[in-house]
Coordinates of all heavy atoms in Angstrom, one line a residue:
M1 N 21.5 -49.6 -15.5 CA 22.3 -49.4 -14.3 C 22.7 -47.9 -14.2 O 22.7 -47.3 -13.1 CB 23.6 -50.2 -14.5 CG 24.3 -50.5 -13.2 SD 23.3 -51.4 -12.0 CE 24.4 -51.3 -10.6
Y2 N 23.0 -47.3 -15.3 CA 23.4 -45.8 -15.3 C 22.2 -45.0 -14.7 O 22.4 -44.0 -14.0 CB 23.7 -45.4 -16.7 CG 24.0 -44.0 -16.9 CD1 25.2 -43.4 -16.4 CD2 23.1 -43.2 -17.5 CE1 25.4 -42.0 -16.6 CE2 23.3 -41.8 -17.7 CZ 24.5 -41.2 -17.2 OH 24.7 -39.9 -17.4
R3 N 21.0 -45.3 -15.1 CA 19.8 -44.6 -14.7 C 19.7 -44.6 -13.2 O 19.3 -43.7 -12.6 CB 18.6 -45.2 -15.3 CG 18.2 -44.5 -16.6 CD 16.8 -45.0 -17.0 NE 16.3 -44.4 -18.2 CZ 15.1 -44.5 -18.7 NH1 14.3 -45.4 -18.1 NH2 14.8 -43.9 -19.8
L4 N 19.9 -45.8 -12.6 CA 19.8 -46.0 -11.1 C 20.7 -45.0 -10.4 O 20.3 -44.4 -9.4 CB 20.2 -47.4 -10.8 CG 19.8 -47.8 -9.3 CD1 18.3 -48.0 -9.1 CD2 20.5 -49.2 -9.0
F5 N 22.0 -44.9 -10.9 CA 22.9 -43.9 -10.3 C 22.4 -42.5 -10.4 O 22.5 -41.7 -9.5 CB 24.3 -44.1 -10.9 CG 25.1 -45.2 -10.4 CD1 25.5 -46.3 -11.2 CD2 25.4 -45.3 -9.0 CE1 26.2 -47.3 -10.7 CE2 26.1 -46.4 -8.6 CZ 26.5 -47.4 -9.4
L6 N 21.8 -42.2 -11.5 CA 21.3 -40.8 -11.8 C 20.2 -40.5 -10.8 O 20.1 -39.5 -10.2 CB 20.8 -40.8 -13.2 CG 20.5 -39.3 -13.7 CD1 21.8 -38.6 -14.0 CD2 19.6 -39.4 -15.0
I7 N 19.3 -41.5 -10.6 CA 18.2 -41.3 -9.6 C 18.7 -41.2 -8.2 O 18.2 -40.3 -7.5 CB 17.2 -42.5 -9.7 CG1 16.4 -42.4 -11.1 CG2 16.2 -42.5 -8.6 CD1 15.7 -43.7 -11.5
I8 N 19.7 -42.0 -7.8 CA 20.2 -41.9 -6.5 C 20.9 -40.5 -6.3 O 20.7 -39.9 -5.3 CB 21.2 -43.1 -6.2 CG1 20.5 -44.4 -6.1 CG2 22.1 -42.8 -5.0 CD1 21.3 -45.7 -6.2
G9 N 21.6 -40.1 -7.3 CA 22.3 -38.8 -7.3 C 21.3 -37.7 -7.1 O 21.5 -36.8 -6.3
L10 N 20.2 -37.7 -7.8 CA 19.2 -36.7 -7.7 C 18.5 -36.7 -6.3 O 18.3 -35.7 -5.7 CB 18.1 -36.9 -8.7 CG 18.4 -36.4 -10.1 CD1 17.4 -36.9 -11.1 CD2 18.4 -34.9 -10.1
L11 N 18.3 -37.9 -5.7 CA 17.7 -38.0 -4.4 C 18.6 -37.4 -3.3 O 18.2 -36.8 -2.4 CB 17.4 -39.5 -4.1 CG 16.1 -40.1 -4.7 CD1 16.1 -41.6 -4.5 CD2 14.9 -39.4 -4.1
V12 N 19.9 -37.7 -3.5 CA 20.9 -37.2 -2.5 C 20.9 -35.6 -2.6 O 20.9 -34.9 -1.6 CB 22.3 -37.8 -2.8 CG1 23.4 -37.0 -2.0 CG2 22.4 -39.2 -2.4
L13 N 20.9 -35.1 -3.8 CA 20.9 -33.7 -4.1 C 19.6 -33.0 -3.4 O 19.7 -32.0 -2.7 CB 20.9 -33.4 -5.6 CG 21.2 -32.0 -6.0 CD1 22.7 -31.7 -5.8 CD2 20.8 -31.7 -7.4
L14 N 18.5 -33.7 -3.6 CA 17.2 -33.2 -3.0 C 17.3 -33.2 -1.5 O 16.9 -32.3 -0.9 CB 16.1 -34.1 -3.5 CG 14.7 -33.6 -3.3 CD1 14.4 -32.5 -4.4 CD2 13.7 -34.7 -3.5
F15 N 17.9 -34.3 -1.0 CA 18.0 -34.4 0.5 C 18.9 -33.3 1.1 O 18.6 -32.6 2.1 CB 18.6 -35.8 0.8 CG 18.9 -36.0 2.3 CD1 17.9 -36.2 3.2 CD2 20.2 -36.0 2.8 CE1 18.1 -36.3 4.5 CE2 20.5 -36.1 4.1 CZ 19.4 -36.3 5.0
V16 N 20.0 -33.0 0.4 CA 20.9 -32.0 0.8 C 20.3 -30.6 0.7 O 20.4 -29.8 1.7 CB 22.2 -32.0 0.0 CG1 23.1 -30.7 0.2 CG2 23.1 -33.2 0.3
L17 N 19.5 -30.4 -0.3 CA 18.8 -29.1 -0.5 C 17.7 -28.9 0.6 O 17.7 -27.8 1.2 CB 18.1 -29.1 -1.9 CG 18.9 -28.5 -3.0 CD1 18.2 -28.8 -4.3 CD2 19.1 -27.0 -2.9
L18 N 17.0 -30.0 0.9 CA 16.0 -29.9 1.9 C 16.6 -29.7 3.3 O 16.0 -28.9 4.1 CB 15.1 -31.2 1.9 CG 14.0 -31.3 0.9 CD1 13.5 -32.7 0.8 CD2 12.9 -30.3 1.1
R19 N 17.7 -30.3 3.5 CA 18.4 -30.2 4.8 C 18.9 -28.7 5.0 O 18.7 -28.2 6.1 CB 19.5 -31.2 4.9 CG 19.9 -31.4 6.4 CD 21.0 -32.5 6.5 NE 22.2 -32.1 5.7 CZ 23.3 -32.8 5.8 NH1 23.4 -33.9 6.5 NH2 24.3 -32.4 5.1
S20 N 19.5 -28.1 4.0 CA 20.0 -26.8 4.1 C 18.8 -25.8 4.2 O 18.9 -24.8 5.0 CB 20.8 -26.4 2.9 OG 20.0 -26.3 1.7
M21 N 17.7 -26.1 3.6 CA 16.5 -25.2 3.7 C 16.0 -25.3 5.2 O 15.6 -24.3 5.7 CB 15.4 -25.7 2.8 CG 15.5 -25.0 1.4 SD 14.4 -25.8 0.2 CE 12.8 -25.4 0.8
Y22 N 16.0 -26.5 5.7 CA 15.5 -26.7 7.1 C 16.4 -25.9 8.1 O 15.9 -25.3 9.0 CB 15.5 -28.2 7.4 CG 14.9 -28.5 8.8 CD1 13.6 -28.2 9.1 CD2 15.8 -29.0 9.8 CE1 13.2 -28.5 10.4 CE2 15.3 -29.3 11.0 CZ 14.0 -29.1 11.3 OH 13.6 -29.3 12.6
R23 N 17.7 -26.0 7.8 CA 18.7 -25.3 8.7 C 18.5 -23.8 8.6 O 18.5 -23.1 9.6 CB 20.1 -25.6 8.2 CG 20.7 -26.8 9.0 CD 22.1 -27.0 8.8 NE 22.6 -28.3 9.1 CZ 23.7 -28.8 8.6 NH1 24.5 -28.1 7.8 NH2 24.1 -30.0 9.0
N24 N 18.3 -23.3 7.4 CA 18.0 -21.8 7.2 C 16.8 -21.4 8.0 O 16.7 -20.4 8.6 CB 17.8 -21.5 5.8 CG 19.2 -21.4 5.0 OD1 20.2 -21.4 5.7 ND2 19.1 -21.5 3.7
F25 N 15.7 -22.3 8.0 CA 14.5 -22.0 8.6 C 14.7 -21.9 10.1 O 14.2 -21.0 10.8 CB 13.5 -23.1 8.3 CG 12.1 -22.9 8.9 CD1 11.3 -21.9 8.5 CD2 11.8 -23.8 10.0 CE1 10.0 -21.8 9.1 CE2 10.5 -23.6 10.6 CZ 9.7 -22.6 10.2
Q26 N 15.5 -22.9 10.7 CA 15.8 -22.9 12.1 C 16.6 -21.7 12.5 O 16.3 -21.1 13.6 CB 16.6 -24.2 12.4 CG 15.8 -25.4 12.7 CD 16.6 -26.5 13.2 OE1 17.7 -26.7 12.8 NE2 16.1 -27.2 14.2
Q27 N 17.6 -21.3 11.7 CA 18.4 -20.1 12.0 C 17.5 -18.8 12.0 O 17.7 -18.0 12.8 CB 19.5 -20.0 11.0 CG 20.7 -20.9 11.4 CD 21.8 -20.9 10.4 OE1 21.7 -20.4 9.3 NE2 22.9 -21.6 10.7
A28 N 16.6 -18.8 11.1 CA 15.7 -17.6 11.0 C 14.9 -17.5 12.2 O 14.6 -16.4 12.7 CB 14.9 -17.7 9.7
G29 N 14.4 -18.6 12.7 CA 13.6 -18.7 13.9 C 14.4 -18.3 15.1 O 13.8 -17.6 16.0
R30 N 15.7 -18.6 15.1 CA 16.5 -18.3 16.3 C 16.9 -16.8 16.4 O 17.0 -16.3 17.4 CB 17.7 -19.2 16.3 CG 18.1 -19.7 17.7 CD 19.4 -20.6 17.6 NE 19.1 -21.8 16.9 CZ 20.0 -22.4 16.1 NH1 21.2 -22.0 15.9 NH2 19.7 -23.6 15.5
S31 N 17.1 -16.2 15.2 CA 17.6 -14.8 15.1 C 16.5 -13.9 15.5 O 16.8 -12.7 15.9 CB 18.1 -14.5 13.7 OG 17.1 -14.6 12.8
T32 N 15.2 -14.3 15.4 CA 14.2 -13.4 15.8 C 13.3 -14.0 16.9 O 12.2 -14.5 16.6 CB 13.3 -13.0 14.6 OG1 12.9 -14.2 13.9 CG2 14.0 -12.1 13.6
P33 N 13.8 -14.0 18.1 CA 13.0 -14.5 19.2 C 11.8 -13.7 19.5 O 11.8 -12.5 19.3 CB 14.0 -14.6 20.4 CG 15.0 -13.5 20.1 CD 15.0 -13.3 18.6
P34 N 10.7 -14.3 20.1 CA 9.6 -13.4 20.4 C 9.9 -12.4 21.4 O 10.5 -12.6 22.4 CB 8.6 -14.4 21.0 CG 9.4 -15.6 21.4 CD 10.5 -15.7 20.4
P35 N 9.6 -11.1 21.2 CA 10.0 -10.0 22.1 C 9.3 -10.1 23.4 O 8.0 -10.3 23.5 CB 9.5 -8.8 21.3 CG 8.5 -9.2 20.4 CD 8.8 -10.6 20.0
L36 N 10.1 -10.1 24.5 CA 9.5 -10.1 25.8 C 9.0 -8.7 26.2 O 9.6 -7.7 25.7 CB 10.6 -10.5 26.8 CG 11.0 -12.0 26.7 CD1 12.3 -12.2 27.5 CD2 10.0 -13.0 27.2
D37 N 8.0 -8.6 27.0 CA 7.5 -7.3 27.3 C 8.5 -6.3 27.8 O 8.5 -5.1 27.4 CB 6.3 -7.4 28.3 CG 5.0 -7.0 27.7 OD1 4.9 -6.8 26.5 OD2 4.1 -6.8 28.5
G38 N 9.4 -6.7 28.7 CA 10.3 -5.8 29.3 C 11.5 -5.4 28.4 O 12.0 -4.4 28.5
D39 N 11.7 -6.3 27.4 CA 12.8 -6.0 26.5 C 12.4 -5.3 25.2 O 13.2 -5.0 24.4 CB 13.5 -7.3 26.1 CG 14.2 -8.0 27.3 OD1 14.7 -7.2 28.1 OD2 14.3 -9.2 27.3
Q40 N 11.1 -5.1 25.1 CA 10.6 -4.4 23.9 C 11.1 -3.0 23.8 O 11.1 -2.3 24.8 CB 9.0 -4.4 24.0 CG 8.3 -4.3 22.7 CD 6.8 -4.2 22.8 OE1 6.3 -4.4 23.9 NE2 6.2 -3.7 21.8
M41 N 11.5 -2.6 22.6 CA 12.0 -1.3 22.4 C 10.9 -0.3 22.1 O 10.0 -0.6 21.2 CB 13.1 -1.2 21.3 CG 14.3 -2.1 21.6 SD 15.2 -1.6 23.2 CE 16.2 -0.3 22.5
V42 N 10.8 0.8 22.7 CA 9.8 1.8 22.5 C 10.5 3.1 22.1 O 11.6 3.4 22.6 CB 8.9 2.0 23.7 CG1 7.9 0.8 23.8 CG2 9.6 2.2 25.0
Q43 N 9.8 3.9 21.3 CA 10.4 5.1 20.8 C 9.9 6.3 21.6 O 8.7 6.5 21.8 CB 10.1 5.3 19.3 CG 11.0 6.4 18.7 CD 10.8 6.6 17.2 OE1 9.8 6.2 16.6 NE2 11.8 7.2 16.5
D44 N 10.8 7.2 22.0 CA 10.5 8.4 22.6 C 10.0 9.4 21.6 O 10.7 9.7 20.6 CB 11.8 9.0 23.2 CG 11.6 10.2 24.1 OD1 10.8 11.1 23.7 OD2 12.3 10.4 25.1
P45 N 8.7 9.9 21.7 CA 8.2 10.8 20.7 C 8.8 12.2 20.6 O 8.7 12.9 19.7 CB 6.7 10.9 21.0 CG 6.6 10.6 22.5 CD 7.7 9.6 22.8
V46 N 9.6 12.5 21.7 CA 10.2 13.8 21.7 C 11.5 13.9 21.0 O 11.8 14.6 20.1 CB 10.3 14.3 23.2 CG1 11.0 15.7 23.3 CG2 9.0 14.4 23.9
C47 N 12.5 13.0 21.4 CA 13.8 13.0 20.8 C 14.0 11.9 19.8 O 15.1 11.8 19.2 CB 14.9 13.0 21.9 SG 14.8 11.5 22.9
G48 N 13.1 10.9 19.7 CA 13.2 9.8 18.8 C 14.1 8.7 19.1 O 14.4 7.8 18.3
V49 N 14.5 8.7 20.4 CA 15.5 7.6 20.9 C 14.7 6.4 21.3 O 13.6 6.5 21.8 CB 16.3 8.2 22.1 CG1 16.8 7.1 23.0 CG2 17.4 9.1 21.6
F50 N 15.2 5.2 20.9 CA 14.6 4.0 21.3 C 15.1 3.5 22.7 O 16.3 3.5 22.9 CB 14.9 2.9 20.3 CG 14.0 3.0 19.1 CD1 14.5 3.7 18.0 CD2 12.8 2.4 19.0 CE1 13.7 3.9 16.8 CE2 12.0 2.5 17.9 CZ 12.4 3.3 16.8
V51 N 14.2 3.2 23.6 CA 14.5 2.8 25.0 C 13.8 1.5 25.3 O 12.7 1.3 24.8 CB 14.2 3.9 26.0 CG1 15.2 5.0 26.0 CG2 12.8 4.5 25.8
P52 N 14.4 0.6 26.1 CA 13.7 -0.6 26.5 C 12.5 -0.2 27.4 O 12.6 0.7 28.2 CB 14.7 -1.4 27.3 CG 16.1 -0.7 27.1 CD 15.8 0.7 26.7
R53 N 11.4 -0.9 27.2 CA 10.2 -0.6 27.9 C 10.3 -0.6 29.4 O 9.7 0.2 30.1 CB 9.1 -1.5 27.5 CG 7.7 -0.9 27.6 CD 6.6 -1.9 27.3 NE 5.3 -1.3 27.8 CZ 4.6 -0.5 27.0 NH1 4.9 -0.2 25.8 NH2 3.5 0.1 27.5
K54 N 11.1 -1.5 29.9 CA 11.3 -1.6 31.4 C 12.0 -0.4 32.0 O 11.8 -0.2 33.2 CB 11.9 -2.9 31.8 CG 13.3 -3.1 31.2 CD 13.9 -4.5 31.6 CE 15.1 -4.9 30.8 NZ 15.5 -6.2 31.0
T55 N 12.8 0.3 31.2 CA 13.5 1.4 31.8 C 12.9 2.7 31.3 O 13.3 3.8 31.8 CB 15.0 1.4 31.4 OG1 15.1 1.4 30.0 CG2 15.8 0.2 32.0
A56 N 11.9 2.7 30.5 CA 11.3 3.9 29.9 C 10.4 4.5 31.0 O 9.9 3.9 31.9 CB 10.5 3.6 28.7
I57 N 10.2 5.9 30.8 CA 9.3 6.6 31.7 C 8.0 6.6 31.0 O 7.9 7.2 29.9 CB 9.9 8.0 31.9 CG1 11.3 7.9 32.5 CG2 8.9 8.9 32.8 CD1 11.8 8.7 33.5
V58 N 7.0 6.0 31.6 CA 5.7 5.9 30.9 C 4.7 6.9 31.5 O 4.6 7.1 32.7 CB 5.1 4.5 31.0 CG1 3.8 4.3 30.3 CG2 6.1 3.5 30.5
R59 N 4.1 7.7 30.6 CA 3.1 8.7 31.0 C 1.8 8.5 30.2 O 1.9 8.4 29.0 CB 3.6 10.1 30.7 CG 4.7 10.7 31.7 CD 4.0 11.0 33.0 NE 4.9 10.6 34.1 CZ 5.9 11.3 34.5 NH1 6.2 12.4 34.0 NH2 6.7 10.9 35.5
E60 N 0.7 8.5 30.9 CA -0.6 8.4 30.3 C -1.1 9.8 29.9 O -1.3 10.6 30.8 CB -1.6 7.7 31.3 CG -1.4 6.2 31.4 CD -2.5 5.4 30.6 OE1 -3.5 6.0 30.1 OE2 -2.2 4.2 30.4
I61 N -1.1 10.1 28.6 CA -1.5 11.4 28.2 C -2.6 11.2 27.2 O -2.4 10.6 26.1 CB -0.3 12.2 27.6 CG1 0.8 12.4 28.7 CG2 -0.8 13.6 27.1 CD1 2.2 12.6 28.1
G62 N -3.8 11.8 27.5 CA -4.9 11.7 26.6 C -5.4 10.2 26.4 O -5.7 9.9 25.3
G63 N -5.2 9.4 27.4 CA -5.7 8.0 27.3 C -4.7 7.1 26.6 O -4.9 5.9 26.5
I64 N -3.6 7.7 26.1 CA -2.5 6.9 25.4 C -1.3 6.9 26.3 O -0.8 8.0 26.7 CB -2.2 7.5 24.0 CG1 -3.5 7.5 23.2 CG2 -1.2 6.6 23.3 CD1 -3.5 8.6 22.1
S65 N -0.7 5.7 26.5 CA 0.6 5.7 27.3 C 1.8 5.9 26.4 O 2.0 5.2 25.4 CB 0.7 4.3 28.0 OG 0.6 3.3 27.1
N66 N 2.5 7.0 26.7 CA 3.7 7.3 25.9 C 4.9 7.0 26.7 O 4.9 7.2 28.0 CB 3.7 8.9 25.7 CG 2.5 9.2 24.7 OD1 2.6 9.1 23.5 ND2 1.4 9.7 25.3
C67 N 6.0 6.5 26.0 CA 7.2 6.1 26.7 C 8.3 7.2 26.4 O 8.5 7.5 25.2 CB 7.6 4.8 26.3 SG 6.3 3.5 26.6
F68 N 9.0 7.6 27.4 CA 10.1 8.6 27.2 C 11.4 8.0 27.8 O 11.4 7.2 28.7 CB 9.7 9.9 27.9 CG 8.4 10.4 27.5 CD1 7.2 10.1 28.2 CD2 8.3 11.2 26.3 CE1 6.0 10.6 27.7 CE2 7.1 11.7 25.9 CZ 5.9 11.4 26.6
C69 N 12.5 8.6 27.2 CA 13.8 8.2 27.7 C 14.2 8.8 29.0 O 14.9 8.2 29.8 CB 14.9 8.5 26.6 SG 15.2 10.3 26.5
S70 N 13.6 10.0 29.3 CA 13.9 10.7 30.5 C 12.7 11.5 31.0 O 11.8 11.7 30.2 CB 15.1 11.6 30.4 OG 14.8 12.6 29.4
Q71 N 12.8 11.9 32.3 CA 11.8 12.8 32.9 C 11.7 14.1 32.1 O 10.6 14.6 31.8 CB 12.2 13.1 34.3 CG 11.1 13.5 35.2 CD 10.2 12.4 35.7 OE1 10.7 11.3 35.8 NE2 8.9 12.6 35.9
E72 N 12.8 14.6 31.6 CA 12.9 15.8 30.8 C 12.0 15.7 29.6 O 11.2 16.7 29.3 CB 14.3 16.0 30.4 CG 14.8 17.5 30.3 CD 16.2 17.6 30.0 OE1 17.0 17.3 30.9 OE2 16.6 17.9 28.9
C73 N 12.1 14.6 28.8 CA 11.3 14.4 27.6 C 9.8 14.3 27.9 O 9.0 14.9 27.2 CB 11.8 13.2 26.9 SG 13.3 13.5 25.9
A74 N 9.5 13.7 29.0 CA 8.1 13.5 29.4 C 7.5 14.9 29.7 O 6.4 15.2 29.3 CB 8.0 12.6 30.7
V75 N 8.2 15.7 30.4 CA 7.8 17.1 30.7 C 7.6 17.9 29.5 O 6.6 18.6 29.3 CB 8.7 17.8 31.8 CG1 8.4 19.2 31.9 CG2 8.7 17.0 33.1
K76 N 8.6 17.8 28.6 CA 8.6 18.5 27.3 C 7.3 18.2 26.5 O 6.6 19.0 25.9 CB 9.8 18.2 26.5 CG 10.9 19.2 26.5 CD 12.0 18.9 25.5 CE 13.3 19.3 26.0 NZ 14.4 18.8 25.2
F77 N 7.0 16.8 26.5 CA 5.9 16.4 25.7 C 4.6 16.9 26.3 O 3.7 17.3 25.6 CB 5.9 14.8 25.7 CG 4.9 14.2 24.8 CD1 5.1 14.2 23.4 CD2 3.7 13.7 25.3 CE1 4.1 13.7 22.5 CE2 2.7 13.1 24.4 CZ 3.0 13.1 23.1
Q78 N 4.5 16.8 27.7 CA 3.3 17.3 28.3 C 3.1 18.8 28.1 O 1.9 19.3 27.9 CB 3.4 17.0 29.8 CG 2.9 15.6 30.2 CD 3.1 15.2 31.6 OE1 4.2 15.4 32.2 NE2 2.1 14.7 32.2
E79 N 4.2 19.6 28.1 CA 4.1 21.0 27.8 C 3.6 21.3 26.4 O 2.8 22.2 26.2 CB 5.5 21.6 28.1 CG 5.7 21.9 29.6 CD 7.1 22.4 29.9 OE1 8.0 22.4 29.0 OE2 7.4 22.6 31.1
S80 N 4.1 20.5 25.5 CA 3.8 20.7 24.1 C 2.3 20.4 23.8 O 1.7 20.9 23.0 CB 4.7 19.9 23.1 OG 4.4 18.5 23.2
R81 N 1.8 19.4 24.6 CA 0.4 19.0 24.5 C -0.5 20.0 25.1 O -1.6 20.2 24.6 CB 0.2 17.6 25.1 CG 0.7 16.4 24.3 CD -0.1 16.3 23.0 NE -1.5 16.0 23.2 CZ -2.0 14.8 23.1 NH1 -1.2 13.7 22.9 NH2 -3.3 14.6 23.4
S82 N -0.1 20.6 26.2 CA -1.0 21.5 27.0 C -1.1 22.8 26.4 O -2.1 23.5 26.5 CB -0.6 21.6 28.4 OG 0.7 22.1 28.5
S83 N -0.1 23.3 25.7 CA -0.1 24.6 25.1 C -0.8 24.7 23.7 O -0.8 23.7 23.0 CB 1.4 25.1 24.9 OG 2.1 24.3 24.1
Ligands
LIG101 ZN1 14.0 11.5 25.0

């Protein structure tokens, strides 16, 4: 009879552990949603500031699209590349 209680106790413990693990997994999935294209953060190579892609100034320089926080940074980058 004592053994039966021990087995039930272990099963309950296992169930609780599995449930908490499952909850952690769900929370981890919720905290890191798949990045949407417009909300993706891109780094300005001139000043190092991160800006959302939808508001960034995009310039195609040497076949690579570079994202800038402002027109000023885009001009600076183009000048540094051309000289
Ligand atoms: Zn900038």
Side-chain angles (χ1 to χ4, degrees):
M1 201 60 188
Y2 174 72
R3 268 192 177 185
L4 190 71
F5 280 119
L6 195 74
I7 288 162
I8 289 165
L10 278 170
L11 281 171
V12 168
L13 195 73
L14 195 74
F15 175 73
V16 169
L17 272 170
L18 280 169
R19 203 175 59 172
S20 68
M21 270 167 70
Y22 181 67
R23 269 193 198 159
N24 282 344
F25 179 73
Q26 275 190 320
Q27 277 172 355
R30 219 179 295 146
S31 63
T32 52
L36 295 165
D37 243 12
D39 293 330
Q40 203 184 345
M41 297 301 276
V42 286
Q43 194 177 20
D44 184 323
V46 177
C47 63
V49 158
F50 282 92
V51 282
R53 205 184 169 89
K54 59 184 167 188
T55 57
I57 306 219
V58 183
R59 282 289 139 81
E60 283 258 346
I61 301 154
I64 304 155
S65 56
N66 292 281
C67 301
F68 305 94
C69 68
S70 63
Q71 201 77 31
E72 212 174 286
C73 283
V75 170
K76 261 189 213 170
F77 188 76
Q78 277 175 309
E79 279 172 356
S80 71
R81 283 295 297 261
S82 62
S83 60

